[in-house]
Amino acid sequence: MTSTRIRSYDAENGVTERTDETDRTDESQRTADERTADETVGEDEQVGEDQQVCPECGGDLATHDNETVCADCGLVVEEDNVDRGPEWRAFDSKEKDEKSRVGAPTTKMMHDKGLSTNIGWQNKDAYGNSLGSKQRQKMQRLRKWNERFRTRDSKERNLKQALGEIDRMGSALGLPEEVRETASVIYRRALDEDLLPGRSIEGVATAAVYAAARQTGTPRSIDEVANVSRIDEMEFKRTYRYIVRELSLEIQPADPEQYVARFASELGISDESERRARELLRNAKRKGLHSGKSPVGLAAAAVYAGPLLTNEKVTQAEVSEVAQVSEVTIRNRYHELLEASESGVVPA
DNA sequence: CATTCGTGAAGACGAAT
DNA sequence: ATTCGATTTCACGAATG
């Protein structure tokens, strides 16, 4: 119980940290133009805030370059702001070009901070003259390789971010190493098959984690996974379906029994009750009671019914809470479970 | 009083067309 | 893309201990 709590707490921390980071990434993902515009707005706001009254005499404040001064008493309210513009002056546009030492802003979104080479598509040299055929072929080759390296790098980066995401979600869900590796493999395949365009990295990563968890027999419910993911549930499900279909992953419906251990320990029920719960599930399975029903609901019902058989007290509400299943479903299922086990216990 | 039980309406989902 | 059937959920009130 205690360990579970600590883990989920850590997980929460991980989530928030990560969220911050991804937000920042989103920020830098926007185009340079947008960013410049935003900064400008920000400056304006700051100036507007500065345009308050002097704390000493209540006079108006005026801002010059790097100082904010009271127009009445001369008190320097603030000085040495960071941006005081270029230290040089230019008298015409030509001089400006020569003296300016800055270029396009760098972005953290691209692996090379946007500093990589771009080779233009026009076969012209720096003066606008057409190139000779030999030069043209050379440029053709350079373009091809430049492009190849760049796209490979971008895939690598994509993968790196996704793997970080997978790792994060994996530990937040308390999944073993094996699952994360499987998730990585799934993600790699998705990447190789060009399934990414039009879909968010988080979305695919989340889907990969969910699929991997089920494949390796340590399933987590859709809700649980969605809770640690940044994307919303709708998109998650859609992406998951898509990924499963496109990669033709073979995923059997989750085995309810695999949920039992977790629910049981979270509720702190006895081993005996847990054993009864598993028994109930096995019986039900033999009778084909479980087709079409939600595995989580079935597991929840068993975890509720198990303690009932051993006179242990567990309320439907508690089970419903840890299993994220409605009480109604638990009721319906556990009636079925008990019926199945009474009317004909199939000998093993 | 808390818990459990049963019900019908409503939403969500998968399959079939 | 839409429709259909089954399942789950929600909200409520009654029954049980």
Side-chain angles (χ1 to χ4, degrees):
Chain A
M1 191 63 183
T2 321
S3 73
T4 321
R5 230 187 234 156
I6 289 176
R7 197 170 58 200
S8 61
Y9 176 71
D10 279 344
E12 261 187 278
N13 277 352
V15 169
T16 37
E17 260 178 45
R18 193 59 197 187
T19 311
D20 283 344
E21 249 186 63
T22 18
D23 280 346
R24 224 184 304 142
T25 315
D26 283 345
E27 181 91 4
S28 53
Q29 201 171 9
R30 291 146 61 195
T31 65
D33 284 340
E34 279 176 343
R35 214 148 8 107
T36 323
D38 273 357
E39 276 168 16
T40 315
V41 170
E43 271 176 25
D44 282 343
E45 275 171 5
Q46 270 180 14
V47 169
E49 276 175 8
D50 284 347
Q51 215 91 47
Q52 287 163 1
V53 291
C54 172
E56 284 289 317
C57 64
D60 288 341
L61 297 182
T63 304
H64 298 289
D65 289 6
N66 56 345
E67 281 182 352
T68 301
V69 191
C70 174
D72 288 349
C73 66
L75 174 73
V76 177
V77 178
E78 198 175 353
E79 61 180 335
D80 207 17
N81 292 326
V82 176
D83 188 358
R84 59 195 72 127
E87 83 286 4
W88 43 262
R89 292 207 294 164
F91 297 97
D92 56 33
S93 68
K94 188 181 161 207
E95 209 171 75
K96 189 175 171 188
D97 282 346
E98 282 171 2
K99 287 185 172 170
S100 174
R101 299 182 296 272
V102 297
T106 60
T107 161
K108 282 183 184 144
M109 196 47 203
M110 287 187 235
H111 68 285
D112 53 9
K113 299 183 184 173
L115 291 173
S116 65
T117 311
N118 255 325
I119 302 180
W121 56 273
Q122 293 172 81
N123 286 312
K124 302 273 181 72
D125 64 14
Y127 304 102
N129 300 323
S130 294
L131 297 171
S133 73
K134 216 169 181 176
Q135 284 294 314
R136 263 219 302 272
Q137 283 179 6
K138 188 176 171 187
M139 295 309 291
Q140 215 55 274
R141 281 200 310 278
L142 285 174
R143 253 201 293 279
K144 188 187 288 174
W145 281 101
N146 190 36
E147 209 47 45
R148 276 185 193 173
F149 282 124
R150 248 216 324 221
T151 55
R152 214 181 63 177
D153 278 358
S154 86
K155 274 195 176 179
E156 290 292 319
R157 263 200 56 77
N158 183 324
L159 188 61
K160 209 172 158 192
Q161 187 186 342
L163 292 187
E165 201 72 15
I166 287 172
D167 213 45
R168 195 210 87 218
M169 290 188 281
S171 69
L173 290 169
L175 290 169
E177 203 55 37
E178 182 196 4
V179 177
R180 287 178 235 177
E181 274 171 34
T182 309
S184 307
V185 171
I186 294 175
Y187 191 90
R188 258 179 234 270
R189 283 189 56 200
L191 195 59
D192 284 341
E193 313 238 341
D194 285 329
L195 265 38
L196 265 294
R199 251 157 278 273
S200 70
I201 292 177
E202 278 90 2
V204 180
T206 312
V209 168
Y210 177 66
R214 285 181 60 169
Q215 267 193 333
T216 53
T218 48
R220 293 293 181 269
S221 71
I222 289 186
D223 293 289
E224 291 175 290
V225 180
N227 274 338
V228 300
S229 173
R230 249 183 82 263
I231 67 168
D232 71 2
E233 206 169 309
M234 278 282 284
E235 191 187 341
F236 163 37
K237 287 178 189 167
R238 228 182 315 126
T239 312
Y240 170 68
R241 267 180 247 301
Y242 179 76
I243 294 293
V244 168
R245 183 159 33 84
E246 290 302 312
L247 296 180
S248 47
L249 297 173
E250 288 182 14
I251 298 182
Q252 308 91 326
D255 184 349
E257 239 184 289
Q258 291 166 334
Y259 289 104
V260 171
R262 207 152 40 85
F263 293 163
S265 86
E266 273 191 65
L267 286 168
I269 67 177
S270 71
D271 290 349
E272 175 62 13
S273 300
E274 185 179 336
R275 203 178 56 76
R276 298 300 269 272
R278 290 180 188 279
E279 234 169 70
L280 286 169
L281 283 177
R282 253 173 292 206
N283 264 323
K285 223 188 299 175
R286 254 194 295 266
K287 302 198 119 197
L289 234 317
H290 61 299
S291 89
K293 313 283 168 46
S294 130
V296 194
L298 228 30
V303 171
Y304 171 71
L308 229 57
L309 297 176
T310 59
N311 288 325
E312 216 176 321
K313 188 184 156 299
V314 174
T315 70
Q316 294 176 354
E318 286 171 322
V319 180
S320 161
E321 173 65 24
V322 304
Q324 298 284 297
V325 171
S326 84
E327 301 170 34
V328 183
T329 306
I330 295 177
R331 283 201 280 279
N332 294 334
R333 286 298 91 74
Y334 101 87
H335 281 148
E336 293 169 10
L337 286 180
L338 291 182
E339 259 176 51
S341 71
E342 274 168 20
S343 65
V345 178
V346 189

